Amino acid sequence: MKIINEGSVRVDLLGGTLDLFPINLVLDKVHTLNLATSLTARVEIEEIEDKNVIFVSEDYDSTITISIDDLQLISQLKSKLGPFEFVSRIVKYFNPNVGLRIKLSSGAPPGSGLGGSSAMGAVLFSGLANFFNRSIGPLEIVKIVQGIESKILNAGPAGYQDYFPSQFGGILSLTPDYSGVNVEQLYNKDFASFLEGNVRLIFSGESRNSGINNWEVYKGFFDGNQEIRSGLLEIADISLQAYNEIKKMNFDVFLSLIGKEGELRESLFPSILTEKMLLFKRELFKLNSNAGMKVCGAGGGGCFIITNSNSDDISSLLDEYKMKELPFKISSPKETK
């Protein structure tokens, strides 16, 4: 038997960092907004005769084999598994009694800030659930995979927004309550077409860990750092305003708020833009004063989005700074049970 499963990698629009529990409950009216792209994480799962699990990673161009028995010893094999620890723990959750060959692709450049590894984890989990005929809903999948990744990161709670687009598709508003996360689908063809025409996704060529400062933000928030608290409160206000503008179909205003949040994050976290990104931004704004720019990933990844610009405007700049555009479409919403 062979299972192929795919799910979208996300572009975060507004409200990143607000998806950390319990910051999301301390602040009022939190909305995290993102979209599911045509860049997809993909897994192929097939049964093999021996009692091993073989992982084949397209991202790392590498293969690793672990026996089914050794899945129970993952904590002692961390150094051997390296980046495969996350997917190994996901497989362990299902306690397989057959050998597996699993081919993995995150659909995003490593360190891009697009949540590719998280999306791949969710896609792998849902693919394994299908393979083993386990009925597990998308919200439960998100909860379990987020828990596994939090254990791997070992640096405070992992934000939850990266997992949802792979399971739900479309354009999402994620809001917390005491029982979990509420998912609201904001997709419509007009809004999707507008975003596809006015948001450009750029890979800087630099791989970065976008979650590296989440713990610093988390700790600072609860230690009473007023700059961090006021900054996240302002991000929450901007995200709420953006959500309301979508509801009113004021897409141009919504677009301007993406750039506004990008400027705020840059002031809060000066290292969120690399030197190359800063130089690119400076030249971009000389060419188009109406453009906006926001780095993907709460703490700054290797990708960023540009608003109110088009490919012709930026093609020479991309060549000059050895960056490239990652064209995408917005994935249609998935049917969920």
Side-chain angles (χ1 to χ4, degrees), residues 42 56-62 104-110 116-117 120:
R42 188 175 194 271
V56 181
S57 170
E58 292 188 356
D59 296 318
Y60 295 103
D61 190 24
S62 60
L104 304 157
S105 174
S106 71
S117 62
M120 186 178 66

Side-chain angles (χ1 to χ4, degrees), residues 262-292:
E263 294 291 336
L264 175 58
R265 284 188 183 276
E266 186 180 343
S267 68
L268 281 173
F269 316 120
S271 63
I272 198 169
L273 296 180
T274 65
E275 183 178 354
K276 186 165 80 164
M277 289 178 184
L278 284 168
L279 291 171
F280 180 94
K281 178 185 175 183
R282 194 173 302 149
E283 295 302 314
L284 171 66
F285 285 14
K286 286 180 184 177
L287 290 174
N288 182 354
S289 59
N290 292 319

